[in-house]
Amino acid sequence: MKNLLRSDGVQSALGWALGAYLRVVLKTVRWRHENLACVEPVLAGSSGAIALFWHGRIPLCLATAPQWWRKRTRAFVSPSADGEFIAKALAMSGFPSIRISSAKKGDAAKARQAVAAIREAVAWVAGGGALVVTPDGPRGPNEVIAPGALQIARRSGQPVFLMGIAARPALQMDTWDKIMWATPLARGAVVWDGPLFVPSDADDREIGRLVEAWSARLSAATRRAEALAGRGARIDPSPPR
């Protein structure tokens, strides 16, 4: 079964199906954006950017496409079999991928691949491109940012934006990332937060502190999006600060 999933034909079929679904969600869900003004200067300018949303919201991610289509934008995607068809689906919508995987301890080959991908990403963002990352993927833990995205921000000197995404009605599966699949004609919301910066002299301790703080902020933006989409409690008229 694993070998079948990795076959070119199956990967192409899965990529086409996911890509078609992403387009349907973008076109038919009634999307509402909150605090979009925070990212407008970057979208209209020549500086780079890093955009983060949780792995479980990949099926909703094209909600942000009309904004990122305005810049040269690439996505960080795992080189796994699952990542292959996700990369194909995103490419269908104009988002080519940089392939990266978090290396297990002792796996020197994957460690070298990860370092090369980080360098490619830093050069891309420093050169004015945008990079979209699911910072808790591909293996989790859920809603905990891995340090790699912050290292790219530190080395490139470019801003980070957080994107909370949600829709209702939607199917939320019992997977590690609680992946959410919106139904056509649903209500959706994207909550933007930023810009955030990592100091160029930040050490591992400071990176760890930012990981904790930014994970909480991205989760707060996601809960806010859920409320705006009608999945949560009564909506406060002003967004959390």
Side-chain angles (χ1 to χ4, degrees):
M1 184 65 182
K2 189 174 182 179
N3 290 334
L4 178 62
L5 179 62
R6 291 181 175 177
S7 70
D8 290 342
V10 170
Q11 289 292 320
S12 295
L14 290 173
W16 182 90
L18 178 58
Y21 171 80
L22 294 179
R23 286 285 188 162
V24 168
V25 168
L26 171 63
K27 295 294 186 182
T28 66
V29 172
R30 294 162 290 167
W31 290 105
R32 170 182 178 180
H33 290 259
E34 183 173 89
N35 199 31
L36 180 58
C38 75
V39 76
E40 283 293 340
V42 166
L43 296 173
S46 59
S47 65
I50 301 165
L52 309 182
F53 67 91
W54 293 132
H55 193 274
R57 305 307 161 98
I58 286 175
L60 313 181
C61 69
L62 284 198
T64 68
Q67 287 73 44
W68 295 116
W69 276 331
R70 292 161 56 186
K71 289 190 74 68
R72 298 178 301 122
T73 302
R74 299 177 71 178
F76 244 2
V77 180
S78 165
S80 66
D82 289 347
E84 182 65 25
F85 71 82
I86 292 172
K88 289 179 181 293
L90 293 176
M92 285 174 58
S93 295
F95 297 107
S97 299
I98 296 174
R99 310 301 296 275
I100 185 169
S101 179
S102 49
K104 295 179 180 179
K105 187 175 181 180
D107 192 332
K110 281 195 174 181
R112 286 193 297 271
Q113 292 171 4
V115 169
I118 291 287
R119 287 176 178 166
E120 182 181 355
V122 170
W124 174 258
V125 175
L131 183 70
V132 178
V133 183
T134 55
D136 56 342
R139 290 189 292 267
N142 185 38
E143 298 198 2
V144 176
I145 294 175
L150 276 70
Q151 294 290 357
I152 296 169
R154 181 181 67 81
R155 296 179 192 180
S156 67
Q158 301 305 305
V160 177
F161 294 90
L162 311 179
M163 305 180 300
I165 314 173
R168 180 177 180 270
L171 171 66
Q172 192 158 22
M173 300 178 67
D174 189 22
T175 54
W176 71 265
D177 57 355
K178 307 300 180 186
I179 194 165
M180 181 179 288
W181 300 87
T183 61
L185 306 178
R187 292 171 55 194
V190 182
V191 175
W192 299 77
D193 184 9
L196 307 175
F197 292 88
V198 179
S200 60
D201 60 351
D203 57 17
D204 288 346
R205 184 173 181 179
E206 175 67 4
I207 292 288
R209 186 189 70 78
L210 292 176
V211 161
E212 183 176 354
W214 291 10
S215 294
R217 287 182 70 156
L218 181 49
S219 289
T222 304
R223 303 293 88 78
R224 171 73 178 170
E226 291 171 354
L228 291 171
R231 297 186 66 88
R234 182 181 65 84
I235 302 172
D236 189 309
S238 38
R241 294 186 180 274

